Amino acid sequence: MSFSSLREDQPLNKKRSERESHRQPGQVKSRTFTHSRRIWSQWLRMSAVAAVFGGLYVWYGGASLLFLLMAVLVLMFGGLLLQVLGPRRIKLVRTITPLCPAAGAAVQVQVRVSFSARLLLPWMIVTDYWKDGSHQELLFPGFRRSFAYTYTLEGVRRGVCQLQGCSVRWGDLPGWFTGSSQPEGRDSFRVLPSPLYFGGFAPEGGWLPGETRFSGRGRSSADETMEIRDYAPGDPLSRIHWKNSARRGTLQSRVPEREKGCMTCVVLANDPQSYLAPPGALAPRARRGENPAAFEKAVSTAMGLLLAAENSGSYVQLYSGGWPEGMARHEGLGQIPARVLHMLTEIAADGSRSLAALLEDASRSWLPGMKVAVITGQLEEESAKIMARFLVQGVKVELYYAWDHPAPAPAHTGAAQATLTKTAGSIGDSLVRLGARLYCLEDAKAYGHREVEYHESPGKPTLR
């Protein structure tokens, strides 16, 4: 029999989760003091009951009072044996599957419990305290000294999920006397960001790092791995993906592997100012826990872009804060290194460099014709000027954002800025007129390999 309690991502529980995330495993053992107080209270309570029955028997006598007094004394003796000769050498071995899940997925935890004891144990409760919740398992040992059970952690969140502590409790049949132990436990696992795909980047069904992509049934081994994009004039009819075209309403073509190799630069903003939601964008308090935060969607977008580059064999760069200035966090071809996955797992919106500074660092290696993916929370004027400058130089810019702002007033400070600001509307509208492709993260869900459609002007995307 098991009982699970996983906290939802509500504001009050967020604070509680943050407090628990900073708690060290050694601090969990502070429950020992609470357990000592519980033992003293149990003995004081039963001693008071025994004293009452003893006084009544001395005063009134009688077989009934004597029976009750003897029953209380027998229970006290059994409680003493249970606490002195209770379970010893308790060992818990946990097996976590999968070892590196994606955010929002379910994780199976298999637990093997073994201990030694000289007495019959009516019941035992094993409690695991994880970073985002807890699980209780009720066992009925009797004369058995080993058990195995499995439970599920639903909706795990990105980051390092650690076992904060473990508690094992046992007691007599009525539960008047109990004992407990806090076995050592240092189990942990990394929760990778769930990839968020956009437009033609999305593979059918999605994939995670380390997974192998197999060709469809009936194809020969010489066939090339295909990806889907919008139809371009000149594409042969044999490459049209009719099923995807019917679903989207526009022609879609399969792209051979050799046509997809290109250079991509991914710039992920992680400074706090980029993810401050404008006052008008705040969701009602009752709905703030329904969707992941904008920064979580941004990290998921970066993961999706890196996986798409890995699958296509493209040369990719990744820039983000918290790294030596002017240096990419990742640069190369092929499989994404483990250190990059660990970085995306633990990255937080606490960087000290603004998006404009990151763009200045990354733009030193930009060439006309290459693709640049900029991921941020809100669009602001300074970074938009940099993107506009390179758009007019032939760099392909794809912007992933959560909130847009009105375009600034016209200023006479250069051709690129004048081109950006001479039209009315928002900053995103100005970038679209220069040829940028915009994707809005506001209503995208970061879990479950959802895809977001490209749209011509800032606004809400279409999910499929």
Side-chain angles (χ1 to χ4, degrees), residues 201-224:
F201 285 117
E204 296 185 30
W207 75 90
L208 292 177
E211 292 185 355
T212 303
R213 303 289 293 172
F214 295 98
S215 58
R217 182 177 301 178
R219 296 184 183 178
S220 64
S221 59
D223 288 344
E224 296 171 311

Side-chain angles (χ1 to χ4, degrees), residues 277-284 288 403:
L282 291 175
R288 289 181 187 175
W403 310 287

Side-chain angles (χ1 to χ4, degrees), residues 16 21 42 73 75 113 139 183 209 251 254 259 326 330 359 394 461:
R16 190 182 309 166
S21 64
Q42 291 171 359
L73 293 177
L75 288 175
V113 185
L139 305 174
L251 287 178
R254 297 184 179 92
E259 293 185 12
H330 170 59
L359 290 174

Side-chain angles (χ1 to χ4, degrees), residues 215-343:
S215 58
R217 182 177 301 178
R219 296 184 183 178
S220 64
S221 59
D223 288 344
E224 296 171 311
T225 304
M226 295 290 186
E227 191 177 277
I228 300 172
R229 61 163 169 79
D230 293 336
Y231 173 82
D235 287 346
L237 294 178
S238 59
R239 290 187 188 172
I240 295 179
H241 194 288
W242 297 107
K243 181 179 179 181
N244 210 50
S245 299
R247 182 173 59 181
R248 289 202 174 191
T250 60
L251 287 178
Q252 302 285 303
S253 298
R254 297 184 179 92
V255 185
E257 184 76 22
R258 63 174 178 269
E259 293 185 12
K260 294 184 293 179
C262 62
M263 183 174 178
T264 303
C265 180
V266 180
V267 181
L268 172 63
N270 69 327
D271 59 299
Q273 298 299 325
S274 294
Y275 296 94
L276 291 177
L282 291 175
R285 185 178 297 273
R287 297 180 54 193
R288 289 181 187 175
E290 295 180 0
N291 223 3
F295 183 71
E296 292 300 318
K297 300 174 188 176
V299 177
S300 296
T301 302
M303 173 65 86
L305 292 172
L306 292 177
L307 290 178
E310 175 186 316
N311 183 63
S312 64
S314 301
Y315 188 90
V316 65
Q317 294 176 322
L318 174 63
Y319 283 86
S320 186
W323 198 251
E325 296 183 13
M327 295 181 60
R329 287 205 169 198
H330 170 59
E331 187 171 3
L333 290 164
Q335 187 173 2
I336 304 174
R339 63 174 180 83
V340 178
L341 298 178
H342 294 171
M343 183 273 293

